[in-house]
Amino acid sequence: MTARIIDGNALSAEVRGQLAERAAALKTKGITPCLAAILVGEDPASAVYVRNKVAACEKAGMRSIKDVYAVDVDPAVVFARIAELNADPSVHGILVQLPLPKHFDSAAVLESISPEKDVDGFHAENVGALMQGNPRFIPCTPYGVMKMLESANVPLKGAEVVIVGRSNIVGKPMAMLLLAQSCTVTICHSQSKDLAFHTRRADILVAAVGRAKMITGDMIKPGATVIDVGINRTAEGKLCGDVDFETAKEVAGVITPVPGGVGPMTITMLLANTLEAAERCAK
Ligand code: NDP
């Protein structure tokens, strides 16, 4: 059996088309959705992420602002800029690209963003709202995964879900969203004993670790849905996920590839959150 592939690029294009239509409708009311992105330092991966986010905004007919600061910038400068963006009614979404340099208190930076403009969904108020089942902004990567599961008609109610990784950005919010859909959720991490015991009983397996090809076909239940969030590079410099795609696709029922899977959906859902923020302002 070869698994059905969820094409993140194709789904992204479809959703972005719908978002562009909504952005155009909002413009007729005099509102152009606007995302402000703040980048500190010269980490090449972060620079590429911010560039892609800004470009995606422009392509969907949204406005973007990009502020880049030197790696040794005084955090007070960044806090002052966030306060300015919080107060600017023409800005609907604000994101600070992580990771920040060590002299920053990252949690304090995230808390300084207005919860109404926190399109990454990382502010404690928004994390709490998600936990209570009443989200204001859903963190973009798990939001994208939910869209992918929906598009592939993967049954959720009562499904055994195993998530590998417990980060605030992916693993934990992913668990909350799937729990809200009545899945039975297990979260594994670096201290979990016998990882394969857990992964082998998953109807839906989400890998969000950051270790190339660590989930192999023999760790997957036949017919399972496998969502690969990981972004890694092989020794040859090629992009790959946390799942060993070649062996996994022979066992899984549905699978997401890397690249071209969850990655494009993450940016798409950032656009969705920015648009939703702007639409709320129009009400
Ligand atoms: P983190 O490093 O914050 O979290 C990794 C998690 O994996 C931790 O919970 C860690 O456990 C767990 N882990 C580490 N080693 C093992 C192991 N051997 N067995 C089981 N669990 C383990 O990463 P992120 O959540 O931020 O990102 C995860 C991956 O997803 C990365 O590759 C990242 O690049 C990618 N990513 C992709 C996105 C996309 O758009 N596609 C968006 C965001 C991230 P512990 O808590 O015990 O340390």
Side-chain angles (χ1 to χ4, degrees):
M1 184 176 73
T2 300
R4 187 156 55 96
I5 292 171
I6 309 180
D7 182 342
N9 284 324
L11 182 59
S12 249
E14 186 188 321
V15 177
R16 287 186 200 192
Q18 294 159 0
L19 296 175
E21 280 174 23
R22 277 164 58 190
L26 210 50
K27 270 191 192 169
T28 64
K29 295 182 185 170
I31 298 174
T32 302
C34 174
L35 173 72
I38 293 178
L39 173 66
V40 182
E42 284 132 26
D43 174 55
S46 294
V48 170
Y49 287 142
V50 169
R51 199 170 62 223
N52 290 346
K53 288 168 185 177
V54 164
C57 260
E58 305 288 339
K59 221 173 154 192
M62 304 186 193
R63 196 164 74 86
S64 64
I65 297 169
K66 181 172 141 186
D67 290 327
V68 183
Y69 295 97
V71 70
D72 59 354
V73 66
D74 182 343
V77 172
V78 175
F79 279 114
R81 179 59 178 149
I82 292 173
E84 203 174 87
L85 293 167
N86 281 342
D88 182 343
S90 74
V91 173
H92 306 100
I94 303 169
L95 76 84
V96 176
Q97 186 64 42
L98 300 175
L100 285 165
K102 289 205 166 31
H103 66 291
F104 273 81
D105 177 347
S106 297
V109 171
L110 296 180
E111 296 310 293
S112 74
I113 297 172
S114 162
E116 282 79 21
K117 299 189 180 187
D118 167 41
V119 282
D120 266 337
F122 296 159
H123 191 289
E125 192 177 308
N126 290 327
V127 173
L130 177 68
M131 184 101 181
Q132 288 180 330
N134 188 23
R136 182 193 273 134
F137 293 114
I138 299 171
C140 305
T141 300
Y143 196 178
V145 171
M146 294 307 285
K147 283 274 172 208
M148 295 177 102
L149 293 171
E150 187 189 312
S151 79
N153 292 315
V154 175
L156 299 181
K157 199 170 169 186
E160 285 289 337
V161 171
V162 174
I163 299 167
V164 190
R166 57 173 163 181
S167 71
N168 290 335
I169 294 172
V170 187
K172 286 185 202 162
M174 190 76 255
M176 285 304 129
L177 292 171
L178 289 164
L179 189 59
Q181 296 304 316
S182 299
C183 298
T184 304
V185 181
T186 302
I187 308 177
C188 297
H189 45 75
S190 68
Q191 306 307 307
S192 296
K193 289 179 191 146
D194 198 352
L195 182 64
F197 161 78
H198 294 286
T199 59
R200 275 191 203 118
R201 53 178 191 78
D203 299 317
I204 301 172
L205 175 61
V206 181
V209 178
R211 290 185 59 164
K213 303 185 184 187
M214 71 171 284
I215 306 284
T216 44
D218 60 322
M219 297 169 74
I220 295 168
K221 178 175 170 179
T225 296
V226 178
I227 305 288
D228 191 355
V229 178
I231 302 177
N232 313 288
R233 285 204 184 268
T234 62
E236 300 79 46
K238 272 181 72 180
L239 271 188
C240 74
D242 290 345
V243 175
D244 178 32
F245 188 78
E246 290 309 314
T247 56
K249 77 174 192 323
E250 300 304 324
V251 185
V254 179
I255 194 166
T256 67
V258 177
V262 177
M265 287 305 291
T266 295
I267 297 190
T268 299
M269 302 328 288
L270 174 69
L271 300 182
N273 280 345
T274 305
L275 183 64
E276 278 168 36
E279 286 173 343
R280 282 174 204 152
C281 291
K283 280 180 188 158

PDB file of all heavy atoms in Angstrom, residues 49 141 164-167 169-171 188-192 195 207-211 214 228-232 242 262-263 266, ligand 1:
ATOM      1  N   TYR A  49      12.344  32.907   6.686  1.00  0.00           N
ATOM      2  CA  TYR A  49      10.944  32.787   7.145  1.00  0.00           C
ATOM      3  C   TYR A  49      10.245  34.141   7.047  1.00  0.00           C
ATOM      4  O   TYR A  49       9.128  34.240   6.536  1.00  0.00           O
ATOM      5  CB  TYR A  49      10.891  32.288   8.600  1.00  0.00           C
ATOM      6  CG  TYR A  49      11.248  30.823   8.781  1.00  0.00           C
ATOM      7  CD1 TYR A  49      11.984  30.402   9.877  1.00  0.00           C
ATOM      8  CD2 TYR A  49      10.835  29.868   7.863  1.00  0.00           C
ATOM      9  CE1 TYR A  49      12.323  29.057  10.052  1.00  0.00           C
ATOM     10  CE2 TYR A  49      11.175  28.529   8.029  1.00  0.00           C
ATOM     11  CZ  TYR A  49      11.919  28.131   9.120  1.00  0.00           C
ATOM     12  OH  TYR A  49      12.249  26.803   9.283  1.00  0.00           O
ATOM     13  N   THR A 141       1.065  26.781  12.866  1.00  0.00           N
ATOM     14  CA  THR A 141       1.416  25.426  12.400  1.00  0.00           C
ATOM     15  C   THR A 141       0.320  24.412  12.761  1.00  0.00           C
ATOM     16  O   THR A 141      -0.170  23.692  11.877  1.00  0.00           O
ATOM     17  CB  THR A 141       2.797  25.006  12.967  1.00  0.00           C
ATOM     18  OG1 THR A 141       3.761  25.957  12.503  1.00  0.00           O
ATOM     19  CG2 THR A 141       3.190  23.625  12.511  1.00  0.00           C
ATOM     20  N   VAL A 164       4.455  13.675  18.826  1.00  0.00           N
ATOM     21  CA  VAL A 164       5.830  13.575  19.328  1.00  0.00           C
ATOM     22  C   VAL A 164       6.405  14.994  19.331  1.00  0.00           C
ATOM     23  O   VAL A 164       6.579  15.593  18.273  1.00  0.00           O
ATOM     24  CB  VAL A 164       6.687  12.613  18.477  1.00  0.00           C
ATOM     25  CG1 VAL A 164       8.015  12.343  19.182  1.00  0.00           C
ATOM     26  CG2 VAL A 164       5.948  11.306  18.228  1.00  0.00           C
ATOM     27  N   GLY A 165       6.653  15.520  20.525  1.00  0.00           N
ATOM     28  CA  GLY A 165       7.101  16.912  20.688  1.00  0.00           C
ATOM     29  C   GLY A 165       6.092  17.679  21.526  1.00  0.00           C
ATOM     30  O   GLY A 165       4.882  17.551  21.305  1.00  0.00           O
ATOM     31  N   ARG A 166       6.598  18.456  22.502  1.00  0.00           N
ATOM     32  CA  ARG A 166       5.693  19.156  23.420  1.00  0.00           C
ATOM     33  C   ARG A 166       6.001  20.653  23.499  1.00  0.00           C
ATOM     34  O   ARG A 166       5.904  21.270  24.552  1.00  0.00           O
ATOM     35  CB  ARG A 166       5.794  18.536  24.817  1.00  0.00           C
ATOM     36  CG  ARG A 166       7.206  18.544  25.385  1.00  0.00           C
ATOM     37  CD  ARG A 166       7.239  18.070  26.824  1.00  0.00           C
ATOM     38  NE  ARG A 166       8.589  17.708  27.226  1.00  0.00           N
ATOM     39  CZ  ARG A 166       8.919  17.247  28.422  1.00  0.00           C
ATOM     40  NH1 ARG A 166       7.998  17.080  29.344  1.00  0.00           N
ATOM     41  NH2 ARG A 166      10.165  16.947  28.721  1.00  0.00           N
ATOM     42  N   SER A 167       6.419  21.240  22.365  1.00  0.00           N
ATOM     43  CA  SER A 167       6.755  22.671  22.397  1.00  0.00           C
ATOM     44  C   SER A 167       5.483  23.516  22.502  1.00  0.00           C
ATOM     45  O   SER A 167       4.377  23.057  22.176  1.00  0.00           O
ATOM     46  CB  SER A 167       7.527  23.071  21.139  1.00  0.00           C
ATOM     47  OG  SER A 167       6.671  23.059  20.020  1.00  0.00           O
ATOM     48  N   ILE A 169       4.913  25.960  20.665  1.00  0.00           N
ATOM     49  CA  ILE A 169       4.573  26.429  19.320  1.00  0.00           C
ATOM     50  C   ILE A 169       3.805  25.375  18.532  1.00  0.00           C
ATOM     51  O   ILE A 169       2.895  25.688  17.771  1.00  0.00           O
ATOM     52  CB  ILE A 169       5.881  26.816  18.578  1.00  0.00           C
ATOM     53  CG1 ILE A 169       6.525  28.020  19.268  1.00  0.00           C
ATOM     54  CG2 ILE A 169       5.658  27.061  17.106  1.00  0.00           C
ATOM     55  CD1 ILE A 169       7.907  28.363  18.741  1.00  0.00           C
ATOM     56  N   VAL A 170       4.188  24.100  18.722  1.00  0.00           N
ATOM     57  CA  VAL A 170       3.560  23.036  17.920  1.00  0.00           C
ATOM     58  C   VAL A 170       2.854  21.992  18.804  1.00  0.00           C
ATOM     59  O   VAL A 170       1.625  21.878  18.782  1.00  0.00           O
ATOM     60  CB  VAL A 170       4.582  22.323  16.999  1.00  0.00           C
ATOM     61  CG1 VAL A 170       3.835  21.365  16.066  1.00  0.00           C
ATOM     62  CG2 VAL A 170       5.411  23.303  16.189  1.00  0.00           C
ATOM     63  N   GLY A 171       3.630  21.238  19.574  1.00  0.00           N
ATOM     64  CA  GLY A 171       3.078  20.063  20.260  1.00  0.00           C
ATOM     65  C   GLY A 171       1.889  20.368  21.161  1.00  0.00           C
ATOM     66  O   GLY A 171       0.828  19.739  21.041  1.00  0.00           O
ATOM     67  N   CYS A 188       4.219  12.703  23.431  1.00  0.00           N
ATOM     68  CA  CYS A 188       5.526  12.122  23.752  1.00  0.00           C
ATOM     69  C   CYS A 188       6.610  13.193  23.657  1.00  0.00           C
ATOM     70  O   CYS A 188       6.426  14.214  22.998  1.00  0.00           O
ATOM     71  CB  CYS A 188       5.854  10.987  22.783  1.00  0.00           C
ATOM     72  SG  CYS A 188       4.713   9.605  22.883  1.00  0.00           S
ATOM     73  N   HIS A 189       7.742  12.944  24.317  1.00  0.00           N
ATOM     74  CA  HIS A 189       8.838  13.919  24.345  1.00  0.00           C
ATOM     75  C   HIS A 189      10.140  13.172  24.560  1.00  0.00           C
ATOM     76  O   HIS A 189      10.160  11.925  24.513  1.00  0.00           O
ATOM     77  CB  HIS A 189       8.574  14.952  25.455  1.00  0.00           C
ATOM     78  CG  HIS A 189       8.124  14.327  26.721  1.00  0.00           C
ATOM     79  ND1 HIS A 189       8.980  13.671  27.555  1.00  0.00           N
ATOM     80  CD2 HIS A 189       6.869  14.182  27.245  1.00  0.00           C
ATOM     81  CE1 HIS A 189       8.296  13.175  28.572  1.00  0.00           C
ATOM     82  NE2 HIS A 189       7.002  13.463  28.406  1.00  0.00           N
ATOM     83  N   SER A 190      11.206  13.908  24.825  1.00  0.00           N
ATOM     84  CA  SER A 190      12.534  13.268  24.870  1.00  0.00           C
ATOM     85  C   SER A 190      12.676  12.285  26.028  1.00  0.00           C
ATOM     86  O   SER A 190      13.552  11.423  26.001  1.00  0.00           O
ATOM     87  CB  SER A 190      13.625  14.333  24.954  1.00  0.00           C
ATOM     88  OG  SER A 190      13.578  14.987  26.201  1.00  0.00           O
ATOM     89  N   GLN A 191      11.822  12.395  27.043  1.00  0.00           N
ATOM     90  CA  GLN A 191      11.934  11.488  28.195  1.00  0.00           C
ATOM     91  C   GLN A 191      10.927  10.340  28.128  1.00  0.00           C
ATOM     92  O   GLN A 191      10.848   9.527  29.058  1.00  0.00           O
ATOM     93  CB  GLN A 191      11.723  12.267  29.510  1.00  0.00           C
ATOM     94  CG  GLN A 191      12.638  13.479  29.664  1.00  0.00           C
ATOM     95  CD  GLN A 191      14.100  13.122  29.464  1.00  0.00           C
ATOM     96  OE1 GLN A 191      14.605  12.206  30.099  1.00  0.00           O
ATOM     97  NE2 GLN A 191      14.777  13.823  28.566  1.00  0.00           N
ATOM     98  N   SER A 192      10.154  10.276  27.049  1.00  0.00           N
ATOM     99  CA  SER A 192       9.152   9.199  26.935  1.00  0.00           C
ATOM    100  C   SER A 192       9.861   7.850  26.795  1.00  0.00           C
ATOM    101  O   SER A 192      10.848   7.739  26.062  1.00  0.00           O
ATOM    102  CB  SER A 192       8.262   9.415  25.709  1.00  0.00           C
ATOM    103  OG  SER A 192       7.527  10.597  25.854  1.00  0.00           O
ATOM    104  N   LEU A 195       9.173   4.966  22.696  1.00  0.00           N
ATOM    105  CA  LEU A 195       8.422   5.828  21.775  1.00  0.00           C
ATOM    106  C   LEU A 195       7.607   5.013  20.758  1.00  0.00           C
ATOM    107  O   LEU A 195       6.443   5.308  20.491  1.00  0.00           O
ATOM    108  CB  LEU A 195       9.406   6.763  21.049  1.00  0.00           C
ATOM    109  CG  LEU A 195       8.801   7.772  20.087  1.00  0.00           C
ATOM    110  CD1 LEU A 195       7.923   8.767  20.822  1.00  0.00           C
ATOM    111  CD2 LEU A 195       9.900   8.488  19.307  1.00  0.00           C
ATOM    112  N   ALA A 207       4.491  14.300  14.066  1.00  0.00           N
ATOM    113  CA  ALA A 207       5.902  14.357  14.470  1.00  0.00           C
ATOM    114  C   ALA A 207       6.371  15.800  14.438  1.00  0.00           C
ATOM    115  O   ALA A 207       6.341  16.447  13.388  1.00  0.00           O
ATOM    116  CB  ALA A 207       6.748  13.501  13.530  1.00  0.00           C
ATOM    117  N   ALA A 208       6.775  16.322  15.595  1.00  0.00           N
ATOM    118  CA  ALA A 208       7.240  17.716  15.695  1.00  0.00           C
ATOM    119  C   ALA A 208       8.428  17.748  16.647  1.00  0.00           C
ATOM    120  O   ALA A 208       8.331  18.211  17.777  1.00  0.00           O
ATOM    121  CB  ALA A 208       6.123  18.623  16.181  1.00  0.00           C
ATOM    122  N   VAL A 209       9.550  17.225  16.172  1.00  0.00           N
ATOM    123  CA  VAL A 209      10.722  17.026  17.017  1.00  0.00           C
ATOM    124  C   VAL A 209      11.920  17.852  16.550  1.00  0.00           C
ATOM    125  O   VAL A 209      12.541  18.579  17.324  1.00  0.00           O
ATOM    126  CB  VAL A 209      11.102  15.515  17.052  1.00  0.00           C
ATOM    127  CG1 VAL A 209      12.356  15.308  17.880  1.00  0.00           C
ATOM    128  CG2 VAL A 209       9.955  14.690  17.602  1.00  0.00           C
ATOM    129  N   GLY A 210      12.243  17.713  15.247  1.00  0.00           N
ATOM    130  CA  GLY A 210      13.446  18.354  14.741  1.00  0.00           C
ATOM    131  C   GLY A 210      14.610  17.376  14.674  1.00  0.00           C
ATOM    132  O   GLY A 210      15.754  17.754  14.863  1.00  0.00           O
ATOM    133  N   ARG A 211      14.288  16.102  14.389  1.00  0.00           N
ATOM    134  CA  ARG A 211      15.341  15.083  14.210  1.00  0.00           C
ATOM    135  C   ARG A 211      15.053  14.331  12.919  1.00  0.00           C
ATOM    136  O   ARG A 211      14.027  13.630  12.809  1.00  0.00           O
ATOM    137  CB  ARG A 211      15.353  14.098  15.386  1.00  0.00           C
ATOM    138  CG  ARG A 211      15.861  14.760  16.669  1.00  0.00           C
ATOM    139  CD  ARG A 211      15.988  13.784  17.771  1.00  0.00           C
ATOM    140  NE  ARG A 211      16.924  12.707  17.410  1.00  0.00           N
ATOM    141  CZ  ARG A 211      17.456  11.884  18.298  1.00  0.00           C
ATOM    142  NH1 ARG A 211      17.154  11.986  19.576  1.00  0.00           N
ATOM    143  NH2 ARG A 211      18.280  10.936  17.932  1.00  0.00           N
ATOM    144  N   MET A 214      13.498  10.372  12.073  1.00  0.00           N
ATOM    145  CA  MET A 214      13.512   9.534  13.282  1.00  0.00           C
ATOM    146  C   MET A 214      12.311   8.584  13.363  1.00  0.00           C
ATOM    147  O   MET A 214      12.365   7.567  14.043  1.00  0.00           O
ATOM    148  CB  MET A 214      13.598  10.382  14.551  1.00  0.00           C
ATOM    149  CG  MET A 214      12.349  11.147  14.877  1.00  0.00           C
ATOM    150  SD  MET A 214      12.411  11.917  16.488  1.00  0.00           S
ATOM    151  CE  MET A 214      12.141  10.533  17.565  1.00  0.00           C
ATOM    152  N   ASP A 228       3.921  15.232   9.253  1.00  0.00           N
ATOM    153  CA  ASP A 228       5.342  15.498   9.529  1.00  0.00           C
ATOM    154  C   ASP A 228       5.583  17.006   9.600  1.00  0.00           C
ATOM    155  O   ASP A 228       5.583  17.705   8.585  1.00  0.00           O
ATOM    156  CB  ASP A 228       6.179  14.878   8.400  1.00  0.00           C
ATOM    157  CG  ASP A 228       7.662  14.859   8.731  1.00  0.00           C
ATOM    158  OD1 ASP A 228       8.049  15.411   9.781  1.00  0.00           O
ATOM    159  OD2 ASP A 228       8.430  14.285   7.930  1.00  0.00           O
ATOM    160  N   VAL A 229       5.772  17.502  10.824  1.00  0.00           N
ATOM    161  CA  VAL A 229       5.981  18.946  11.015  1.00  0.00           C
ATOM    162  C   VAL A 229       7.469  19.300  10.909  1.00  0.00           C
ATOM    163  O   VAL A 229       7.836  20.424  10.572  1.00  0.00           O
ATOM    164  CB  VAL A 229       5.415  19.391  12.390  1.00  0.00           C
ATOM    165  CG1 VAL A 229       5.672  20.868  12.638  1.00  0.00           C
ATOM    166  CG2 VAL A 229       3.920  19.093  12.488  1.00  0.00           C
ATOM    167  N   GLY A 230       8.323  18.345  11.162  1.00  0.00           N
ATOM    168  CA  GLY A 230       9.763  18.612  11.246  1.00  0.00           C
ATOM    169  C   GLY A 230      10.362  19.209   9.987  1.00  0.00           C
ATOM    170  O   GLY A 230       9.934  18.907   8.869  1.00  0.00           O
ATOM    171  N   ILE A 231      11.329  20.079  10.183  1.00  0.00           N
ATOM    172  CA  ILE A 231      12.110  20.620   9.064  1.00  0.00           C
ATOM    173  C   ILE A 231      13.581  20.416   9.424  1.00  0.00           C
ATOM    174  O   ILE A 231      14.083  21.015  10.374  1.00  0.00           O
ATOM    175  CB  ILE A 231      11.829  22.115   8.821  1.00  0.00           C
ATOM    176  CG1 ILE A 231      10.340  22.349   8.532  1.00  0.00           C
ATOM    177  CG2 ILE A 231      12.682  22.634   7.664  1.00  0.00           C
ATOM    178  CD1 ILE A 231       9.969  23.812   8.359  1.00  0.00           C
ATOM    179  N   ASN A 232      14.226  19.542   8.696  1.00  0.00           N
ATOM    180  CA  ASN A 232      15.634  19.223   8.978  1.00  0.00           C
ATOM    181  C   ASN A 232      16.396  19.180   7.658  1.00  0.00           C
ATOM    182  O   ASN A 232      15.802  19.194   6.589  1.00  0.00           O
ATOM    183  CB  ASN A 232      15.741  17.838   9.647  1.00  0.00           C
ATOM    184  CG  ASN A 232      14.745  17.664  10.764  1.00  0.00           C
ATOM    185  OD1 ASN A 232      14.888  18.260  11.809  1.00  0.00           O
ATOM    186  ND2 ASN A 232      13.709  16.847  10.546  1.00  0.00           N
ATOM    187  N   ASP A 242      10.789  14.838  10.051  1.00  0.00           N
ATOM    188  CA  ASP A 242      11.105  13.932  11.171  1.00  0.00           C
ATOM    189  C   ASP A 242      10.742  12.496  10.814  1.00  0.00           C
ATOM    190  O   ASP A 242      11.085  11.563  11.530  1.00  0.00           O
ATOM    191  CB  ASP A 242      10.293  14.332  12.411  1.00  0.00           C
ATOM    192  CG  ASP A 242      10.753  15.652  13.001  1.00  0.00           C
ATOM    193  OD1 ASP A 242      11.852  16.122  12.648  1.00  0.00           O
ATOM    194  OD2 ASP A 242      10.000  16.229  13.811  1.00  0.00           O
ATOM    195  N   VAL A 262       3.451  20.562   5.645  1.00  0.00           N
ATOM    196  CA  VAL A 262       2.969  21.491   6.679  1.00  0.00           C
ATOM    197  C   VAL A 262       3.565  22.895   6.507  1.00  0.00           C
ATOM    198  O   VAL A 262       2.898  23.897   6.794  1.00  0.00           O
ATOM    199  CB  VAL A 262       3.315  20.928   8.087  1.00  0.00           C
ATOM    200  CG1 VAL A 262       2.904  21.888   9.182  1.00  0.00           C
ATOM    201  CG2 VAL A 262       2.640  19.573   8.302  1.00  0.00           C
ATOM    202  N   GLY A 263       4.798  22.972   6.013  1.00  0.00           N
ATOM    203  CA  GLY A 263       5.490  24.267   5.900  1.00  0.00           C
ATOM    204  C   GLY A 263       4.669  25.351   5.219  1.00  0.00           C
ATOM    205  O   GLY A 263       4.416  26.409   5.811  1.00  0.00           O
ATOM    206  N   THR A 266       1.682  26.638   7.216  1.00  0.00           N
ATOM    207  CA  THR A 266       1.955  27.501   8.370  1.00  0.00           C
ATOM    208  C   THR A 266       1.850  28.974   7.963  1.00  0.00           C
ATOM    209  O   THR A 266       1.196  29.781   8.641  1.00  0.00           O
ATOM    210  CB  THR A 266       3.357  27.191   8.936  1.00  0.00           C
ATOM    211  OG1 THR A 266       3.346  25.855   9.442  1.00  0.00           O
ATOM    212  CG2 THR A 266       3.734  28.136  10.055  1.00  0.00           C
TER     213      THR A 266
HETATM  214  P1  NDP B   1      11.361  22.189  19.952  1.00  0.00           P
HETATM  215  O1  NDP B   1      12.833  21.951  19.880  1.00  0.00           O
HETATM  216  O2  NDP B   1      10.844  23.348  20.699  1.00  0.00           O
HETATM  217  O3  NDP B   1      10.655  20.879  20.529  1.00  0.00           O
HETATM  218  C1  NDP B   1      11.066  19.596  20.135  1.00  0.00           C
HETATM  219  C2  NDP B   1      10.314  18.563  20.934  1.00  0.00           C
HETATM  220  O4  NDP B   1      10.779  17.282  20.535  1.00  0.00           O
HETATM  221  C3  NDP B   1      10.557  18.669  22.442  1.00  0.00           C
HETATM  222  O5  NDP B   1       9.336  18.551  23.119  1.00  0.00           O
HETATM  223  C4  NDP B   1      11.483  17.492  22.741  1.00  0.00           C
HETATM  224  O6  NDP B   1      11.283  16.939  24.018  1.00  0.00           O
HETATM  225  C5  NDP B   1      11.035  16.501  21.695  1.00  0.00           C
HETATM  226  N1  NDP B   1      12.093  15.521  21.428  1.00  0.00           N
HETATM  227  C6  NDP B   1      13.410  15.740  21.228  1.00  0.00           C
HETATM  228  N2  NDP B   1      14.047  14.585  21.035  1.00  0.00           N
HETATM  229  C7  NDP B   1      13.126  13.609  21.121  1.00  0.00           C
HETATM  230  C8  NDP B   1      13.170  12.198  21.027  1.00  0.00           C
HETATM  231  N3  NDP B   1      14.308  11.542  20.799  1.00  0.00           N
HETATM  232  N4  NDP B   1      12.019  11.506  21.178  1.00  0.00           N
HETATM  233  C9  NDP B   1      10.855  12.134  21.416  1.00  0.00           C
HETATM  234  N5  NDP B   1      10.754  13.478  21.520  1.00  0.00           N
HETATM  235  C10 NDP B   1      11.874  14.194  21.375  1.00  0.00           C
HETATM  236  O7  NDP B   1      10.882  22.217  18.434  1.00  0.00           O
HETATM  237  P2  NDP B   1       9.567  22.860  17.734  1.00  0.00           P
HETATM  238  O8  NDP B   1       8.334  22.264  18.292  1.00  0.00           O
HETATM  239  O9  NDP B   1       9.699  24.318  17.665  1.00  0.00           O
HETATM  240  O10 NDP B   1       9.796  22.293  16.256  1.00  0.00           O
HETATM  241  C11 NDP B   1       9.820  20.906  15.990  1.00  0.00           C
HETATM  242  C12 NDP B   1      10.197  20.706  14.537  1.00  0.00           C
HETATM  243  O11 NDP B   1       9.206  21.276  13.713  1.00  0.00           O
HETATM  244  C13 NDP B   1      11.514  21.357  14.098  1.00  0.00           C
HETATM  245  O12 NDP B   1      12.097  20.563  13.090  1.00  0.00           O
HETATM  246  C14 NDP B   1      11.063  22.666  13.503  1.00  0.00           C
HETATM  247  O13 NDP B   1      11.983  23.164  12.541  1.00  0.00           O
HETATM  248  C15 NDP B   1       9.787  22.248  12.858  1.00  0.00           C
HETATM  249  N6  NDP B   1       8.801  23.316  12.686  1.00  0.00           N
HETATM  250  C16 NDP B   1       8.181  23.354  11.485  1.00  0.00           C
HETATM  251  C17 NDP B   1       7.223  24.286  11.238  1.00  0.00           C
HETATM  252  C18 NDP B   1       6.545  24.251   9.925  1.00  0.00           C
HETATM  253  O14 NDP B   1       5.966  25.232   9.525  1.00  0.00           O
HETATM  254  N7  NDP B   1       6.542  23.112   9.220  1.00  0.00           N
HETATM  255  C19 NDP B   1       6.872  25.306  12.221  1.00  0.00           C
HETATM  256  C20 NDP B   1       7.515  25.134  13.508  1.00  0.00           C
HETATM  257  C21 NDP B   1       8.471  24.168  13.710  1.00  0.00           C
HETATM  258  P3  NDP B   1      11.627  17.725  25.391  1.00  0.00           P
HETATM  259  O15 NDP B   1      10.494  18.698  25.578  1.00  0.00           O
HETATM  260  O16 NDP B   1      11.650  16.664  26.399  1.00  0.00           O
HETATM  261  O17 NDP B   1      12.943  18.403  25.156  1.00  0.00           O
END
